Structure formats: C-alpha cells, structure tokens
Amino acid sequence: MTSFDTSHVKNIVLLGHAGCGKTTLSECMLYEAGLTTRRGTIEERNTVSDFYELEQQRGNSIFSKLLYTEWRGYKINILDTPGYDDFAGDVLSALRVADTGILLLNANFGVEVGADLAWEYTERLRTPILIAVNKLDQDKADFEGTVAEAREHFGNNVVVVQYPLNQGLGFNMIVDVLRMTVYRFPTEGGRPEKLPIPAEERERADRLHRELIEAIAGTDEALMERYFDNGDLDENEMTQGLKNAMIRHELFPLFCISAKRNMGSGRIMGFIDAVCPGPAEMPAQRTLSGTALPCDPDGPPCIFVYKTLSEAHIGEMSFFKVYSGRIRPGMELVNESNGSTEKINQLFVVEGGKRIPVNELSAGDIGATIKLKHTHVNNTLHAWGENFELEPIEFPSPLMSIAIESAQKGEEEKLAGAIHQVREEDPTVLLETSQELKQTIIHCQGELHLSVIKWKLEHFSKNLRASFSRPRIPYRETIRKPVQSSYRHKKQSGGAGQFGEVYMQVEPWFEGMPDPQGLTVRGREEFHLDWGGKLVFLNCVVGGAIDQRFLPSILKGVMEKMQEGPLTGSHVRDVRVIVYDGKMHPVDSNDISFKIAGMMAFKSAFKQADPQILEPIYIVTVSCPDEQTGGIISDLQTRRAILEGMSTEGHFNRITARVPLAEMHDYYSSLRSLTQGRAKFRMKFQEYAAVPAEIQRRLIDEYSKTSEHAAV
C-alpha cells in the first residue's frame, strides 16, 4: 500500500453508547473511500469491524478494532470502540492513541450512559471531539432535544455545524451552516446533491451561522478582532479557528448523519481531512521524566504499545502508535520498562481482521507487529541510546470480583495459562491469588465483562472448564480487653521430651499506648503486619524464668496463630503480647516446646479478651441522574451503608457512602438494573470496622461448622 508521511495521517476514535451506530459509521467511511465495495451490516454479521464470533452473536462491539482507509491523499486510522462501560479499558486504550474523537449520539435517546462515560475520558485526556447525531432517519428522532441534552451534559461549547431539514422516516436533507449549503441525498444514500438553502430556512441557517462564527471568534483574539472589523469570517478563517479550538478542547462541532443509510458520512470524512488535527498538530507527548517528545518523522524512533491480541498460529500481536521517527522491519528497539531488546520482524496496517504488510510507518501512524517476546500494554520501545518512557494508560479500577478454579483436577496449569493470556490482552482484568482466602480471584469491570472473560477462557482450549463462586471476605480479628493466660506444653514419649511454660498478657493495641504497669520491659519488637494493623511483642521476663533464646519461638507461635485467628480463621491485627513469666526444663525445653506453648497461651487469651471480628469498609461513590437518587439511597441502606454525603457533579448527583465489602458482591448488576444503566460507581478501600453482633455470631458458627466438617 501507499506509504504516508506524518502530515498525511489522521487518527480518529469512534465513541458512544452501545447501539448508537459506531460500527455502521465505520462501514460507511470504508465504503465512501472505496476500500470496500459494499457496506456490511450488524444484522448480516458481515461488518469489517465486528469480526469476532461473539460480537456477531451479540450484535454489538466488545473489543476495540483498528481499521484504516485512504481519503483525498490522507490515511485515516479508525478505532472502533465498544459502548458498554464494562469495556472501558478498550475505550481508554483507543483514546490514548487517537487525535480526534467522534462521539455518536442516538437521536432517539439523546445522551446515553456510554456517551457520558466516553466524554468523561475525553475530558481527562483533552481529546479534540466532534459530535455526530445519528439515526435521524428514524420515526422518534429528536434533533433539537438531542442538542439540548448534549449542551446540558457537555457544555455550551457544543456548536451546531449541521441540522436536519426533514428528520424522521423521510430524512434525506442536511443544512450545513459552516458552508451555508443544503445536502440532499439519494434514497440509497451516498454522494449528495448540493442545493441553496430554502427561503423558509434562511433565517434559522443565518442565526446558526452567526452563532458558529461568534463561538469560533470567541476562542481567538485575532479572529475576534477580524470579526469586529469585517462583521464576518471567511470559510478558511472559520476552518482554522475551529481546528485550533478543537485542539484546545474548547469547541465541539456537531454534525448530522444517518449511518444506516449512508447520509452525511462523506461530509464528516471531509471535515476530518480539512479540520481535524493530525498527530503533528497535537501537543507533544510527555515522558514520565517530564520532557516533551515531538511527533517528528526525523526524530529518534519511539513507539507506544496500547493493545495486544493473541491470534491462533501466530502468537501475540502488538498494536502501537509511532510517536517519533520511522519504524521499519528489521529494526531493534529497547523496551524502556524492562531493558529488553525487541526486533521488529514485520509491520502491518490493520483492517479489522486483516493484516496488510508495509515497509515503513512514520511518526503519528498506527500499526501492528507480532512476536514481541517481552513487551506488553503500556510499554515504550525506542532507539538505542534514548530513555523515553511515555505516560501510561490509566485503566479503571475493578468493580466486580469472582473466585475461579479449575472444574477438573489436573487442569490447574492450563487454567492459569488461559487466565494469564486474558490478562495480557485486557489490563482491566486483575488476577489475585489469595493465600489468606485460599482462592484465585478475578477482578473485572462487570457481569458483561465477566461473560467475555468466560468466553475467552473456553476458546483458549475447548476442553478447559472453570467454575466460578463468590469470593470470601477478608475479615480481620482483634480484641477489646486485656487478658492474662498461661499454657504448659509437656510431652514425654521416651528419650528426650518437650517442656515449655509461658505466661503472657494479651491486650488491644492502639497508637501511643503506655508501657504496662508493674512490669519492666526488657525487649520490644514491633511488626507492621502484611495484612494491616500491628503486633507489639514485649519481653518482660525477669530472673531468667525463660531463656532469651526461646523468646523468638514464642513469637513465632503467636504469629502463626495470628495468621489463622481463633474465631473465623481470619488474620489477627492490632494486639500487644507481653511475655512476663514461664518455666523451663534443663533437658526437655526446646524451640518447638515454647512455640507450641506461646501459640496455645495466645489462643486461650484471645478467646477470653472480648474478641471482635472486623470487616473491610469501602467508600462507594455513585453518580446518577437526579430522578434515580432516592432509589439508589434506599438500595444502599439495605446494604448496611452509612451515607457520607451528596453533591452535584455536572448533571449528575454524586452519592458517597461507607459500605461493607460483604454487601457489594452483586452491586454492579443491581445498580444497572435499578437505573437502566444510567448510573455508575467506584469503590475504594477505607478501613476495617467492627461487624454487628448478630453477624459476628453467624460468622463464628459458620466457621465452626466448616472446621468440624474438615476435621471429619
């Protein structure tokens, strides 16, 4: 294929809620450019973008895809993204390498939750955005209502460039107030006829034209002076002013389309060509050290990997953007993250499921390569002698957790390999092997995300079977009052025996607590426990009742019991253990004797010291429309939540509450059902707090029964 230099590359990402028409628009763009000879459809399962079997079955995009086309001497890389928030990682990775976003809105439903989520990410990344109101050919299309919602959600910097002349089932005409012309499309769509604006529409078109000029002029002092002097701006001034405002994330031009009938897509492609910024026009990328990396084809070679896929018979395919220099097959680049050297054996441009070999990719372009052994998502590769490391993609925290295990014995390694591959392709999947809970836990973005993970695992190996269950809760145990106890370990079985006797005091620990009264502290050890909290171990033994060399064994016995607490087998935290007396035998005392004595004395004291089970508490933040606030608060209260506060964030209400982790397992699906997907939430660990008495009794009973069953 033709090689394109940096100044003739455009990178766009299609954004929006599921079903808004992103994939259908990509089909129009490929068709309009002549890359395909017919437009595929979702219904016929033959689109270039949705080539996975699972996507064709479900009728919507699940993974982000890279496409490309050529238009008037430009190469346009198109990144088609999924619309559900379960796949936010794919949206973020695509946004990271795009230079312009096209946010599609469904004229039947206005601003949907997927559009809100995408907008939130574009605000964070300051991505230039144009908005396309789609499905104007449908009976319930409401252009004015959609524009009003867009301005309510995204601000008054949404500026109308086009409006429909006859929305609804007969839709075929668009008024363009930038070019002040009418586009009338044939029934089958495609190339429109250009017509003058009808007299009855002239007043409205002139008003929107003036609003557009004033909005553009308002972002640039020189344009404002020209507008005041001449009373107008010409098309070139408007085009350049609009481009600069988009780069600064100050204006968001709005267009009209029917992707299904291929009406308006050609005008958007022309706008991408003429107005949307290229990679070299965007602000330079920043490295982690704070230096700027200009998008210069003559600069040192540097690429950033934003996505990986595993393909049968090929291995891993790495998708990347060239941020500097030129990349050619045979080059060797250094991975800044791990210092390994990677050879670029082959280069491809990608058209959905197809790979087309190329000999060079210049700065600003997006492509793919295969068989990078030590390179993963978020890695920067660069020429020898440089030390570039570009800022990584910040993926969202998980919202749902599920325990996983092999359904068949002997397949644990196969399952581990499959999970590793899923994790490699999708950084929003987190894997935790919890020794504490004795479970392998997958953390993901939601139920739909989990269903895709299951599908991937099944397709990793046809005979692989996994079972899923609710994760256990990492409770903690502590005490509320001081208790003294002792334990004598004595064992005689012929020959050398075992003897150790320990007297100890066990107390609840708190920061700044004084030394024990009536005892002399001869040694102090403090441990910040891996699972949180603290253990303070004091040696207050006098007169050599216990030899100094046995104290580490006593401590070891205490620590072992703290890893599996007496109440529920959970970790123990925040205790002070004081060893103040004991006895030894000149022959039979040894390390194991005092370890057992220390463990049993601690266990006995703990059970008498008003023990308390603690549970993890999370701060949960829910963003929702105003009308759904009451229902969400009521639902949270059924989950033992303590409301912390409410605030307004744009057009959303923001509810903050403290919620026990034990009550959050099904919250994702419950919130989606309660709000029809209009609300979103985030959760962050805050602290451990005491469980209510009735729950403590239940947890102890359940553990007791489990222990008895295991013993049998």
Side-chain angles (χ1 to χ4, degrees), residues 44-63:
E44 294 176 353
R45 303 180 179 181
N46 60 353
T47 62
V48 174
S49 179
D50 289 352
F51 58 88
Y52 284 100
E53 177 188 350
L54 183 61
E55 294 176 312
Q56 294 171 355
Q57 290 172 356
R58 298 185 61 92
N60 52 54
S61 298
I62 291 174
F63 313 105

Side-chain angles (χ1 to χ4, degrees), residues 616-649:
I617 303 296
Y618 278 69
I619 286 290
V620 177
T621 305
V622 185
S623 297
C624 64
D626 181 67
E627 65 273 11
Q628 295 171 338
T629 303
I632 290 171
I633 291 175
S634 296
D635 179 69
L636 284 170
Q637 288 172 339
T638 67
R639 300 172 184 274
R640 299 191 284 127
I642 298 175
L643 194 65
E644 293 276 283
M646 285 181 54
S647 60
T648 302
E649 191 177 71

